[in-house]
Structure formats: C-alpha cells, structure tokens
Amino acid sequence: MNSRTSVAAATSLGVCGVLALGGAATANAAEDDQAMVSVFHAVPGLTVDVYANGDELIPDFEPGTLTEPQSLPAGSYDLEVFQAGADPQGEPALQKTVEVPAGANATVVAHLDADGEPELNAFVNDTSKVAAGDSRLTVRHVAAAPAVDVRAGGQPVFKGLENPKEDTTEVAAGTVAADVVLAGTDDIAIGPADLDLKEGTTNIVYAWGSAEDDSLALKTQTLSGMDSAPSGVNAGFAGGANDADAWPAYAAGVGLLALAGVLGARRLAARHRG
C-alpha cells in the first residue's frame, strides 16, 4: 500500500475518478480482497483535487459529481482533499483515513456537516437481496441543514434524520415523488423529485448542499443486482399493469381448488365407510 502511481498511469487505467493504488499488489490482489468504491463530491462551490495515499487521483473534481463504482484492493486509504490547483505539499482542506473492508460496496463522501464545515465520511452500501417486487431506499443526510423528514408521496418515510446519518427501508418498486422537509414540519427544503425505484435495486438518495447558501439538492446513486426469485405462491402469475385487480380473482381460484380437494377427500372417505 506504499506504492505510488503517477497521474498519467492512473488516467490510462481509467481510475482518475476513484481511489486506487498502483503496482503489483493491485494486479495480483485476489477477488475476495477487493471492494467496490465510489466517491461523491458534496461540498458546494468548491472544485477540488483528491489524493489517496499520496497520489492525485481526481483532479478538478466538481461539486455534485459522483464517480462510478470501481473495484479496488480492500484496506486503509489516507485521503486528502485540496482546492483545485493548490500545492499538495501544503495543508489539505480535508484529510481522513478511511478503512475499506473486503467485499464491501462503499461510497466516500466529501460534504458539509450540520454547521457548514467540510468533512469526509465513508458509507457502506447495502447490496443484500430484496424481496421480489421490491426496491431498497436509503437516504443520507450530508447537507449543512438541521434534522429533516424525508417523504414519499407526501408521507414521511424517514423522520428526524440528522447529518451525517442514514436510514433505509424496502418499498414496492415504482416511481415515487420524494421531498425533504424540516423535521416535524411541512416546510419543503428539497424537491419534490421523482425517484424511479426499479425492482431489485438499492437506491441511495443524498440530501446535500447548504441551507444557508440556498444550495440544497438531491443526488441519487443506484446499485443493481439485488433481485430475489419470486415467492412460491406467485411464481406462475403473469405480472402486468392490472396485477392489483387480477390478484383477488387469482387468490379466489386457488381457494376454490383447495376447497374442491377437501370435499373430494371427504367423499372418498365416506365411500370407504359405507
């Protein structure tokens, strides 16, 4: 982990937008020792250069930018963030050592705390399976703002969420209108925005920016591959736009078949007794 990678080499490998280490250790790392890592720049009004373990990896990183996840060796990363073009030998605007566990899917976020001071945090993304027909929704509060409630379709889904905490739930897949309000009120701080929650995905919504500077915004990160097989009862039922209307009839048919089976068994038993 002490090897250093030049900016040119990092660019040629297409890893300028992520944390990475060069050298033979990376090339020979076992798949089980890898992690998937993304980086989100959520500090408004400041373009930065990001360094990891001494290497410049994300030059001219603009606010609101979220990198694609990349496979990296698990381990410890010393992160430093400088204002774009600043001397990397000087004092960084942000600095933190982040542990990336093997097998994890993680997002490193540079953001403002509740008081408007910049900080770095790493979040591990939940990529476990979700039930058939469902989608996972996670909200992370990384904005310079007080506690908030997050609503979907006008109804609170997460209440009293504080910076830099997160909350998660599983919901039926579909499109929902989401907004963020000050906790315990109907005062909209962000949104509304339509979220397309596809089946078998994890959808991470970041509330970021600054309330004081009127720069609050939402950023969504979507991870796929969390599909589950349909349950045994539903496996042969053809889905469609009218599922909600068709389901009672389908369930009734199953019930009639079961009742017919019971009556048939009773008749057979009666014959044997006779």
Side-chain angles (χ1 to χ4, degrees):
M1 292 201 176
N2 292 325
S3 60
R4 303 177 67 85
T5 306
S6 68
V7 177
T11 303
S12 68
L13 292 172
V15 297
C16 276
V18 296
L19 310 175
L21 294 176
T26 301
N28 297 327
E31 186 174 347
D32 289 345
D33 293 333
Q34 300 292 293
M36 298 299 290
V37 179
S38 306
V39 185
F40 177 36
H41 180 2
V43 179
L46 181 66
T47 301
V48 299
D49 299 330
V50 179
Y51 288 72
N53 294 356
D55 298 326
E56 184 185 40
L57 297 173
I58 316 179
D60 299 322
F61 198 29
E62 297 184 352
T65 304
L66 173 68
T67 68
E68 292 294 325
Q70 296 289 333
S71 180
L72 307 172
S76 179
Y77 291 86
D78 182 22
L79 305 181
E80 294 179 314
V81 178
F82 296 87
Q83 186 170 348
D87 183 357
Q89 301 304 315
E91 187 72 19
L94 286 173
Q95 184 174 20
K96 186 173 185 177
T97 298
V98 173
E99 298 293 334
V100 179
N105 187 306
T107 303
V108 177
V109 184
H111 66 96
L112 299 177
D113 66 15
D115 297 322
E117 295 298 321
E119 65 179 20
L120 280 169
N121 277 295
F123 297 90
V124 175
N125 304 320
D126 188 350
T127 57
S128 61
K129 298 293 185 182
V130 297
D134 282 357
S135 177
R136 178 176 293 112
L137 176 61
T138 298
V139 175
R140 292 172 180 162
H141 185 345
V142 292
V148 298
D149 297 338
V150 180
R151 307 187 303 184
Q155 298 301 313
V157 179
F158 306 113
K159 295 182 178 181
L161 191 62
E162 298 177 341
N163 182 322
K165 296 182 179 180
E166 64 176 359
D167 206 347
T168 188
T169 189
E170 292 183 15
V171 298
T175 301
V176 298
D179 59 17
V180 178
V181 299
L182 299 181
T185 76
D186 291 322
D187 299 333
I188 297 177
I190 312 175
D194 286 339
L195 303 180
D196 184 13
L197 308 179
K198 297 185 182 300
E199 180 179 359
T201 61
T202 288
N203 304 271
I204 306 162
V205 180
Y206 299 87
W208 70 284
S210 169
E212 183 177 348
D213 296 341
D214 196 26
S215 60
L216 294 175
L218 295 178
K219 184 73 172 183
T220 303
Q221 179 180 19
T222 300
L223 308 173
S224 59
M226 278 60 75
D227 311 73
S228 291
S231 64
V233 173
N234 253 351
F237 186 55
N242 296 319
D243 282 0
D245 296 330
W247 175 248
Y250 174 76
V254 172
L256 289 174
L257 288 174
L259 179 60
V262 171
L263 293 176
R266 288 179 178 175
R267 292 192 188 103
L268 184 60
R271 288 175 188 165
H272 283 295
R273 286 195 299 271

